[in-house]
Amino acid sequence: GSGSDQQFGILAGGMESMSNVPRYLAQSRSGMSLGHTRLIDGVIHDGLWDAYNDQHMGMCGEKCARDYRITREEQDSYAAESYRRAKEAW
């Protein structure tokens, strides 16, 4: 540059609240007839569904654990340590 002290940065962030995700009424825009209808869980539909393999993300975790031989105890230990570190950093 011209010798001036310029700084440039990008900050990205976000948050989510899975407990506030609604259930969807898929037919509600075009109208629903008399009788029962289906509610779609927005958390699963938009957040926890693997669009590439058409399965729940929990199944992906089970597959990784099986393929890489990660025990439930190792997962729990890792989660507890991660929580401890986050709490310490806070």
Side-chain angles (χ1 to χ4, degrees), residues 8-62:
F8 179 76
I10 297 174
L11 174 65
M15 59 183 279
E16 61 183 77
S17 177
M18 293 173 76
S19 61
N20 289 314
V21 175
R23 297 190 187 278
Y24 307 140
L25 286 169
Q27 303 86 4
S28 64
R29 291 211 188 269
S30 59
M32 295 179 287
S33 62
L34 182 64
H36 299 291
T37 190
R38 186 175 140 214
L39 286 175
I40 299 169
D41 186 333
V43 171
I44 294 173
H45 186 269
D46 290 334
L48 298 178
W49 197 257
D50 178 0
Y52 300 105
N53 297 301
D54 195 29
Q55 64 181 357
H56 193 286
M57 291 290 190
M59 299 306 297
C60 301
E62 294 292 329

Side-chain angles (χ1 to χ4, degrees), residues 78-90:
Y78 184 89
E81 178 62 15
S82 177
Y83 179 79
R84 185 196 66 75
R85 289 178 180 175
K87 185 177 177 183
E88 183 179 295
W90 185 256

